[in-house]
């Protein structure tokens, strides 16, 4: 026999911790044999990503635009959001706070930066709020001298 258990997001979202995973522990007893059954299952949740787009000349000393986008995939409004972006040799880490991102809404943030070093460089963005952790995006760039 199979037993289906339905768990809705609003039942566990407030209980999620850093690993963004659900751990299921099931125990039971077979009446006829008196044997005990114990099973465990871990389900990692899919974490949404931040999209980063860079416009402009990718060259030392030339200004570029960095566009960061994040769409709220949850069926509830995200509140008290901190968004950070930065990259070594590209731009210092900049932090910005937002009061909320409504359901299915997209947050867009644009900043200018001027690369200070040539070579392979990475720009990163992270988002943190009460309901979502470890949300990030990155883009690898080749900066010319």
């Amino acid at each position: 026999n199979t037993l289906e258990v339905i768990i809705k997001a609003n039942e566990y979202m407030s209980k999620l911790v850093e690993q963004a995973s659900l751990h299921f522990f099931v125990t039971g007893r077979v009446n006829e044999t008196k044997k005990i059954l114990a099973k465990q299952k871990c389900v990692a949740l899919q974490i949404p990503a931040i999209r980063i787009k860079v416009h402009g000349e990718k060259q030392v000393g030339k200004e570029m635009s960095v566009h960061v986008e994040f769409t709220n995939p949850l069926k509830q409004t995200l509140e008290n959001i901190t968004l950070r972006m930065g990259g070594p040799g590209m731009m210092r880490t900049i932090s910005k706070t937002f009061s909320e991102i409504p359901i299915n809404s997209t947050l867009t943030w644009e900043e200018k930066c001027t690369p200070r070093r040539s070579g392979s460089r990475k720009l990163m963005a992270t988002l943190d709020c009460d309901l979502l952790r470890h949300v990030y995006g990155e883009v690898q760039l080749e900066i010319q001298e």
Side-chain angles (χ1 to χ4, degrees), residues 15 35 43 76 98 104 111-112 117 131 140 145:
K15 296 168 180 58
K35 286 189 177 184
V43 178
Q76 63 189 98
F98 300 88
N104 293 321
E111 287 288 337
K112 305 284 187 199
R117 295 193 177 147
L131 291 176
Q140 190 77 32
E145 188 61 50

Side-chain angles (χ1 to χ4, degrees), residues 106-119:
T106 299
L107 172 71
T108 303
W109 179 22
E110 178 185 354
E111 287 288 337
K112 305 284 187 199
C113 78
T114 304
R116 299 178 303 277
R117 295 193 177 147
S118 62

Side-chain angles (χ1 to χ4, degrees), residues 1 10 12 15 18 31 40 49 57 60 63 80 82 84 89 95-96 106 108 120 124 129 136 140:
N1 288 343
N10 63 354
Y12 65 78
K15 296 168 180 58
E18 299 301 317
N31 287 333
Q40 167 181 311
E57 228 176 310
V60 172
E63 187 177 79
N80 303 318
T82 300
R84 293 174 186 85
S95 184
K96 195 168 184 179
T106 299
T108 303
S120 183
M124 296 163 278
C129 68
Y136 72 96
Q140 190 77 32

Side-chain angles (χ1 to χ4, degrees), residues 16-80:
L16 285 178
V17 292
E18 299 301 317
Q19 291 81 17
S21 61
L22 298 174
H23 294 262
F24 295 95
F25 300 94
V26 179
T27 59
R29 183 176 65 121
V30 179
N31 287 333
E32 294 80 16
T33 64
K34 307 292 188 233
K35 286 189 177 184
I36 302 294
L37 169 71
K39 290 288 181 181
Q40 167 181 311
K41 174 109 176 152
C42 180
V43 178
L45 301 178
Q46 184 177 358
I47 298 172
I50 294 175
R51 293 171 300 284
I52 303 174
K53 296 177 187 168
V54 178
H55 302 284
E57 228 176 310
K58 294 163 188 70
Q59 185 174 353
V60 172
K62 301 276 185 169
E63 187 177 79
M64 304 183 316
S65 292
V66 180
H67 296 261
V68 174
E69 283 186 1
F70 174 77
T71 301
N72 176 6
L74 302 180
K75 292 184 178 167
Q76 63 189 98
T77 297
L78 298 178
E79 297 175 335
N80 303 318

Side-chain angles (χ1 to χ4, degrees), residues 2-19:
T2 303
L3 175 65
E4 183 176 325
V5 177
I6 298 173
I7 301 170
K8 296 182 180 179
N10 63 354
E11 295 174 326
Y12 65 78
M13 286 302 293
S14 64
K15 296 168 180 58
L16 285 178
V17 292
E18 299 301 317
Q19 291 81 17

